[in-house]
Amino acid sequence: MFRMKFFDSRKGYYCSTRVSSFIPMLLSIVMTLVISVNGFVKFFIQSVKPVEDEIFVYGLLLSLLVLSILYYAYRYFKPVKEFKYIVLNNFTDRLYIKNRVACALYLFAFYTLIIVLILCISYYFKCGVTGLMDMKLRLVAISILFGAFLSFNEFNNYYSYYSGKLE
């Protein structure tokens, strides 16, 4: 009978961890510097009294970024060939194959929207609607920054594996 032709469901790629970890390591360093400078300016130069929640959030973000720097630095300086299966029936994989710019924009919009939703829900339960409206500029700035960070990491992952050797 009539059969539709689909992509092969899985393809295997080899990639060195040196290639796939360089850009995330640099992005983690830049994000750590941005958050550190922001906290330094806010708390020391503007002499804003920090709230315990803000200190906890800054500390948590900085510790996660430092751990990611250490992880990617280890992968960069101790490279191994890594094998990964990529499922080609996935929407983002097909989008990356067809149009890389659209894939990058999609990843950025997706991660930014997810972070906006998470932050809005957390600030809504913490401050209510009025506190949420006061924080909207900060929420958008943080969401764009971390959305760009996550989408660059994901796009780098696609790029490094698709430019690797097909097995």
Side-chain angles (χ1 to χ4, degrees), residues 121-132:
I121 290 170
S122 68
Y123 276 113
Y124 175 74
F125 286 123
K126 179 181 169 189
C127 306
V129 176
T130 57
L132 186 62

Side-chain angles (χ1 to χ4, degrees), residues 21 25 65-76 82:
S21 62
M25 181 177 61
L65 286 170
V66 167
L67 286 175
S68 72
I69 290 170
L70 293 175
Y71 172 71
Y72 288 123
Y74 177 76
R75 286 173 50 110
Y76 181 76
E82 196 172 47

Side-chain angles (χ1 to χ4, degrees), residues 11-22:
K11 296 275 186 190
Y13 289 88
Y14 279 106
C15 179
S16 173
T17 56
R18 178 171 237 152
V19 173
S20 65
S21 62
F22 180 70

Side-chain angles (χ1 to χ4, degrees), residues 39-53:
F40 180 75
V41 167
K42 183 176 182 180
F43 298 132
F44 293 114
I45 295 179
Q46 294 177 353
S47 66
V48 174
K49 292 185 180 176
V51 183
E52 292 176 3
D53 293 340

Side-chain angles (χ1 to χ4, degrees), residues 86-150:
I86 296 176
V87 179
L88 294 177
N89 289 337
N90 191 354
F91 174 72
T92 52
D93 288 323
R94 286 185 287 151
L95 187 61
Y96 180 81
I97 290 170
K98 298 275 184 193
N99 190 348
R100 290 182 181 173
V101 174
C103 181
L105 292 174
Y106 167 75
L107 289 171
F108 174 70
F110 176 75
Y111 283 123
T112 304
L113 183 66
I114 293 295
I115 292 171
V116 163
L117 289 174
I118 291 170
L119 289 175
C120 283
I121 290 170
S122 68
Y123 276 113
Y124 175 74
F125 286 123
K126 179 181 169 189
C127 306
V129 176
T130 57
L132 186 62
M133 290 301 154
D134 293 340
M135 299 293 290
K136 64 184 172 186
L137 185 61
R138 179 185 275 175
L139 289 175
V140 169
I142 290 171
S143 301
I144 289 173
L145 189 64
F146 277 100
F149 175 72
L150 292 172

Side-chain angles (χ1 to χ4, degrees), residues 49-63:
K49 292 185 180 176
V51 183
E52 292 176 3
D53 293 340
E54 284 183 321
I55 292 174
F56 178 72
V57 168
Y58 272 99
L60 182 66
L61 288 176
L62 286 175
S63 63

